Amino acid sequence: MLEPGLDTFPKLALRNAQRIPRNVAIREKDLGIWQAYTWAQYVEQARLIALGLAALGLARGDKTAVVGDNRPELYWAMLATQALGGIPVPLYQDSIEKEMQYIVGHAEARFAVVEDQEQVDKLLHVREQCPMLEWIVYADPRGLRHYRERGLLGLDELQERGRKFAIDNPGHFDREVAKGAADDLAIILYTSGTTGQPKGAMLSHRNLMVTARNAIAHEGLTSSEEVLAYLPMAWAGDHMFSFAQSLVAGFTTNCPESAATVLHDLREIGPTYFFAPPRIWENILTSVMIRIDDASWVKRRMVHFFLDVARRVEERRLGRRAAAFGDRLLYALGRVLVYGPLRDNLGMRRIRIAYTAGEAIGPELLGFYRSLGVNVKQVYGMTESSALVSIQKDGDVKLDTVGTPLPEIEVRIAASGEVMYRGPGVFLGYHKNPEATAETLEGGWVHSGDAGVFDRDGHLKIIDRAKDLGRLADGTMFPPKYIENKLKFSPYVREAVCVGGERPFVGALINIDPGSVGNWAERRGIAYTSYTDLAQKPEVYELIRQEVARVNRSLLDEGPLAGAQIRRFLLLHKELDPDDQEITRTRKVRRGFIGQKYAGLIDALYSGGDHVKVEAQVTYEDGRTGTVRAEVRIHDAEAFAPGIVR
Amino acid sequence: MDLLYAVFVGPFRDMVTAPTFLAEVLIGGVAAGLMYSLVALGFVLIFKASGVFNFAQGAMVLFSALTLVGLMERGVPMVLALGLTIGVMVALAFAIERVVLRPLVNQEHIILFMATIGLNFFLEGLGEMVWGANVKRLDLGIPDESFMAAGILINKLEMAAAATAAILVGVLAVFFQSTKIGRALRAVADDHEAALSIGIPLRTIWVVVWSVAGLVALAAGIMWGAKSGVQFSLSLIALKALPVLILGGFTSVPGAIVGGLIIGTGEKIGEVYWGPLVGGAIENWFAYVVALAFLLVRPQGLFGEKIIERV
Amino acid sequence: MIYREAGQFKTSYAADQAVFPIVQDRVVVGAFLALAFVLPPALASEYWLQAVLIPFLVYAMATVGLNLLTGYAGQVSLGTGGFMAVGAYAAFKLTTGFPGLSILLVFVLAGVIAALVGIVFGLPSLRIKGFYLAVATLAAQFFLIWLFNKVGWFVNYASSGTITAPPRTVMGFMVTGPEATAAARYVVALGLVVVFGVVAKNLVRGRIGRSWMAIRDRDIAAEIIGVRPLRTKLLAFAISSFYCGIAGSMLVFLFLGSAETQAFDINQSFLVLFMVIIGGLGSILGSFLGAAFIVLTPIFLTNAPHWLGLDISVALQKQIEVMIFGGLIIFFLIVEPHGLARLWQIAKEKLRLWPFPH
Amino acid sequence: MTPAPPPALLEVAGVSVRFGAVQALDRVSLSVRRGEVIAIIGPNGAGKTTLLNVISGFYHPSEGHIRFEGRDRTRLAPYDVAALGIARTFQNVALFKGMSVLDNIMTGRLLKMKGSFLLDALYWGPAKAQELEHRAFVERIIDFLEIQAIRKTPAGRLPYGLQKRVELARALAAEPTLLLLDEPMAGMNVEEKEDMCRFILDVNREFGTTIALIEHDMSVVMDISDHVAALDYGRKIADGTPDEVRTDQAVIDAYLGVSHV
């Protein structure tokens, strides 16, 4: 349970400031060097912001919208709001005005602390529809010097007001913090939700702190960990790893200089505790493969040779079987020649614990990083569970499961195959949305929305989204997400959508990765102009056809899924884009929407034709829309009848 | 007081009192000046055509002389030896273009200048290795005696050298001004890429230029060698050619000749009349000081064009 | 491959601008320097000290000097030999004139005198550039050598015209003169090179270095942001001649023991120029690499034939050596105009990027 | 009564420049008020760059004189002009190719850096402190012009658009009161032009720097300049607000090329 004096994050921060005042709490790469703030400074900054917000009239229960890249100032603003009993509501920094307006209105935020002019402009437009948004505070004054809007002020001015407020109301900050209790609302995280409007999951201090503490104990994390905070602050994962666990364990959070320099900063910091959604692991792998392909023939041969050695050694290690003596020797050599330098180049050399979270990951992708010696483990959880339900324990890692539940968390499989769980981390419900809460929360148990099974070692295995788990016309099980992940392991596939519910066979709409396929085409002298043109090249179809064959071959020996091999596929004429609502901000496929929008394409898959005309509406970055017309080819895939030796 | 007298008045008084001696000194100066001009011509040719300050011109003078003498010592008759040496120098031009100039085509001039320094040492080593390093007599059938003409001692050999130099200058002046290749050379000198872009065959041009420079070097080598023997110090005269180019300007053929004469006579007079005052042997630095003084006044030399820095 | 850069981030500008920002480099260089002071005096043979290490240090000092002038400030100079001579003769006059002076102070004062002479011959650099400036430095070279030859005062009217290093001690050790052991002379030379190497590195990475490089790369752009051309160029001449002056005095006092003007002729200027070009224009490290390369090549050439079993005459060897030097200059200018320093840098970058391509 | 206009920061009075027979500038007079953005337009060869060069001190006018902040400085050398607080960029980028972007910008700080030579040699104490202090200032400019990613790349290797931005950074590093930009947007694509316009306006607003720029793209001139002067054949043919100059017949003729009889 939580000690009474330490049951909210502000109290925790004050304890850190006493116990480890000189430890570095947070760093930010700015003006060329890493500026560091100790826990004492972290609390001092948050205190001044809190007093400033109090001066502006922030009362207990008020909401503060927080928008922008990962910045110390924004983390302090969250803690400051909580200190006054307010509730921070982080938003995705790249969300367009329409989305922001819904969330700010729904959460009735009176205050907003944002990063820079870009976010200020958006919020000023949002304020026309949401009059309750009184105060907007910006951290970076760049370009805002001449703004004269009411209720707009800089962070320094806010802290200045805080100092004056502190003189008039001595002890106000400490009194408000003391009022905080474990079950107060700590934060509202709007889930990107694959269907309909975003839902605001309410999480209490207890939810987050108990989950954080259990995970820290479970994994043996210490106060000397280094974490890179680069994922959107509105994502439950970032909040758990970069805010909750940082406060509980006292380790250091590092904010990159800008979105463009993340990989460079990753190498500079060399974090010891790292987490990323599967698409980041995919992107890094793709960039590694492209750079290796550009190397000289000798170096290329050497790297691929040692990667194969590592894969063999890792497979044996996972199966707890000793690797062949020769392989062990080669692996030792490989560590000096390839794995060590590769990890060092990627900034992963110091990683003790790494998670892949947010979505299911292809086993081959996870296996690749583990074979290099990066201790990546799959983690299962969602916003409604304070991000963590189950973790793979060191030494008990499998490529295709999500490990065992954390202490104090029970997990069971409902009759429909849906995963249900209960525990201290379960959220309080959806903000102002009792129907959705009732749908998801049943007597303490949460409907995860994922279909899964327990394997013999008690590991939970997530197969697919519960509602997406389909059946083919002939009843064979059809897990679209599972198959899509296998397709996405290939560096040439960026996104894939499998269809097949109540259909004779499985079909796939595939998004090629313009970067790697473009590079592949250039090396073969295939000239192409646009993305659409590249996607329709016969050679590219042949390339993807081999990838589909690889997936079909791996589905062959998955027992019940053998029947779900992909029979026909097409390459989409445009990239699926969050601005067109085809995928969410964290790039999860919105199956329902795509089912309607590309119904023509899907029917063509099953009509036996070898091409189909398509006309699709596209929204550009500045909100204007345009139409893309293209002729899309359809190909049969090479499938394998069960029993044929691979 | 007598120091001022000794520096400013004394020498002039000596000159007036001994005109014949003065004439002889002058002729000696002219002869040396012509030698400098011959070497300087080689520099001007290459600089005019490729913008490269060919530091190796001195080594080419030595190399050509060594080859000629080496062949003659092997019993090859002079005319044939001359022909063979010319062949060698043209081959050398091909080699230099292929190995050194082509890879460095549009590098800055400082890089090319340093490359020719490397070339200079390479040729010195090669020449000595092939033909040995001892001093060799080179007789051209022109006896090295002098005869009295109107009371002035004139050396036959120097006259021959003067004649050769004059002929060469005439040929080169015509070559540059009016022949097709001449104009192409001037274009290449301004800007390699521009010349390439209008179809001037840069490679052939450079081979032609370096071959001609090789021949001029051979001529200088012969004259110089005949006068003071073919030995290592020949390549040092390249350094002496620098002041000549400063005076005459790097790009003008007549300038090289006039510059050579000024430096040659200036040195001799300086040595004879002012030398004793400061212990003599001022020959080896006097030329540079003169050139330096001249540079401060007119950085681009007598005939060179003013270099305007385009902003 | 050997680099472990993950986790080495900079929290201060001082750290970011350090000469060796990466820990691995700092460790290697630190260890190397420590060993350089300890191992050779203890283990190296007399031959290695006298014929290889001491000349390397002397020429390294001169090369750093010339590199500051030609590599960083872009002013071509063929007068290195002359300025070294100034240093040597100044040191000789100082030691004979003021026996009490400590030898280290003599070296520095010799450098200062050379610097003053350098400024005089640097004056023309305001009006003339490039090759033309080479003439001014040639004038310096020939004039200075002629001066030391002709004027007896410089050699204290010794009939032989040579200057010899009188015995001097530093902290009780005999470092110059006949009794000074090679090891003692080596340590003093190394001390000087390290100290002034660091000074050169500091100058180059600070505002002075930047103003030199600005003049070198685009003098009109330099002028418009406040760089005064003459003052910058003269500073370059002065500092460069300071280093050459010290190198000259080291040549006599710590290496040869005695010398005449012939030891500082135009060939010395070319030799040091080779070291700068092959080593790498505009790189302090390049100066050391160039000096080492040019000092070691002849030694390698003298021994190589014996190893290969064919013995060639000394003369032929000398000629091959000159050919190789000339050939190498051309090779380097084609393959890598920035010399060994650039090759070293590329090798290092390859190691840091391993296994990715450079 | 509109308040008296603020004293001119820069006063060019009857300046002429002649190269041999070529009359590059012919009795040009121009006044630049403090804090304004003035665009100098005109067909090629109108003498725009020559005017900038005269102000920068590369050429000395054959007649007329130039006053800066009220003091006459007609015959100053370029580095004295820089010391007055005038910085500039060049038409075809004059970066120091051998130095990194950071060093290029740090050279802009040379006028602000003093200190003794000896301390520089030791890179110790005040010399080191000064170096780090100026580095911190330069970092703000790097952040301002969003060139953090190319901080350590050699200037010679950058694409054209970025080189222009680094040159602007170097000029800003000198904290000028007057900034002369010679076609800052030549050869840039639309996006780069928008960025450069934003930077120029930010410099004018955030630092209050007076800016004189040569520009051909009339849409840019209209957008960002408060005051426009037009030159043709070395003579000033128009001077006023952007709209006045755009509709001025002499300017239209100059651009459309009426035969100069």
Side-chain angles (χ1 to χ4, degrees), chain C residues 241-291:
Chain C
S241 314
F242 175 85
Y243 277 76
C244 296
I246 291 191
S249 52
M250 284 164 71
L251 186 76
V252 171
F253 283 70
L254 298 176
F255 177 39
L256 299 176
S258 72
E260 340 69 32
T261 54
Q262 209 270 336
F264 304 102
D265 64 9
I266 183 74
N267 288 323
Q268 286 286 29
S269 303
F270 279 125
L271 201 60
V272 177
L273 187 62
F274 287 165
M275 295 178 189
V276 169
I277 300 171
I278 291 182
L281 282 160
S283 148
I284 299 291
L285 173 69
S287 319
F288 289 100
L289 294 176

Side-chain angles (χ1 to χ4, degrees), chain A residues 334-352:
Chain A
R335 187 175 292 120
V336 173
L337 285 179
V338 175
Y339 319 137
L342 206 53
R343 284 207 320 272
D344 190 71
N345 254 295
L346 299 176
M348 298 182 182
R349 186 174 55 76
R350 297 202 309 169
I351 286 182
R352 260 181 349 99

Side-chain angles (χ1 to χ4, degrees), chain C residues 9-263:
Chain C
F9 52 87
K10 304 294 174 292
T11 55
S12 74
Y13 290 123
D16 188 54
Q17 294 198 180
V19 176
F20 298 106
I22 306 172
V23 166
Q24 279 76 10
D25 289 342
R26 273 201 295 272
V27 165
V28 164
V29 167
F32 180 77
L33 272 182
L35 292 180
F37 271 98
V38 172
L39 288 186
L43 308 172
S45 69
E46 183 74 13
Y47 165 75
W48 262 92
L49 280 172
Q50 181 58 25
V52 178
L53 291 176
I54 294 181
F56 158 67
L57 289 173
V58 169
Y59 281 114
M61 180 68 88
T63 313
V64 166
L66 183 60
N67 214 335
L68 291 180
L69 182 61
T70 309
Y72 282 94
Q75 309 301 321
V76 180
S77 162
L78 291 172
T80 315
F83 296 129
M84 285 170 78
V86 168
Y89 282 83
F92 174 69
K93 289 301 283 179
L94 284 168
T95 48
T96 48
F98 310 90
L101 269 180
S102 114
I103 192 69
L104 296 179
L105 188 57
V106 165
F107 285 150
V108 172
L109 287 176
V112 168
I113 294 169
L116 297 177
V117 172
I119 290 178
V120 168
F121 284 100
L123 282 171
S125 67
L126 180 65
R127 281 184 62 78
I128 47 178
K129 288 203 286 247
F131 315 126
Y132 296 86
L133 190 61
V135 172
T137 52
L138 268 179
Q141 169 71 31
F142 288 111
F143 176 72
L144 289 169
I145 298 305
W146 173 82
L147 192 69
F148 294 128
N149 259 332
K150 279 293 173 258
V151 179
W153 178 72
F154 288 108
V155 288
N156 290 351
Y157 306 99
S159 56
S160 65
T162 62
I163 52 172
T164 50
R168 284 290 180 282
T169 63
V170 164
M171 289 184 284
F173 287 95
M174 185 62 74
V175 289
T176 60
E179 305 82 18
T181 64
R185 283 185 280 117
Y186 164 78
V187 169
V188 170
L190 182 64
L192 285 169
V193 166
V194 165
V195 165
F196 286 105
V198 167
V199 164
K201 186 63 189 169
N202 286 338
L203 284 180
V204 157
R205 65 181 175 143
R207 65 187 170 89
I208 292 175
R210 275 191 293 273
S211 50
W212 283 343
M213 288 190 271
I215 289 283
R216 171 195 68 192
D217 285 352
R218 201 64 193 275
D219 50 12
I220 39 156
E223 241 181 292
I224 195 59
I225 42 169
V227 175
R228 310 178 76 92
L230 180 61
R231 190 177 297 182
T232 314
K233 287 180 191 173
L234 287 189
L235 188 62
F237 265 96
I239 296 173
S240 168
S241 314
F242 175 85
Y243 277 76
C244 296
I246 291 191
S249 52
M250 284 164 71
L251 186 76
V252 171
F253 283 70
L254 298 176
F255 177 39
L256 299 176
S258 72
E260 340 69 32
T261 54
Q262 209 270 336

Side-chain angles (χ1 to χ4, degrees), chain D residues 2 7 24 31 40 77 85 100 119 125 159 175 187 206:
Chain D
T2 56
S31 80
I40 302 169
S100 72
L119 288 174
E175 285 175 288
E206 302 272 323

Side-chain angles (χ1 to χ4, degrees), chain A residues 490-506:
Chain A
S490 149
Y492 303 119
V493 172
R494 155 155 287 196
E495 208 56 64
V497 180
C498 291
V499 287
E502 287 82 35
R503 297 279 186 163
F505 53 82
V506 173

Side-chain angles (χ1 to χ4, degrees), chain A residues 545-595:
Chain A
R545 197 166 178 286
Q546 283 148 25
E547 297 299 322
V548 172
R550 173 179 56 77
V551 168
N552 285 345
R553 210 174 291 123
S554 77
L555 282 174
L556 189 59
D557 49 26
E558 297 244 1
L561 300 180
Q565 290 179 39
I566 302 167
R567 287 288 185 279
R568 282 165 66 77
F569 69 97
L570 60 81
L571 299 187
L572 282 169
H573 52 287
K574 70 176 272 301
E575 286 190 71
L576 297 180
D577 197 313
D579 292 349
D580 301 332
Q581 277 82 44
E582 287 153 345
I583 50 177
T584 69
R585 285 291 151 207
T586 50
R587 300 196 70 81
K588 283 188 198 148
V589 165
R590 303 185 66 184
R591 223 166 284 288
F593 182 84
I594 288 181

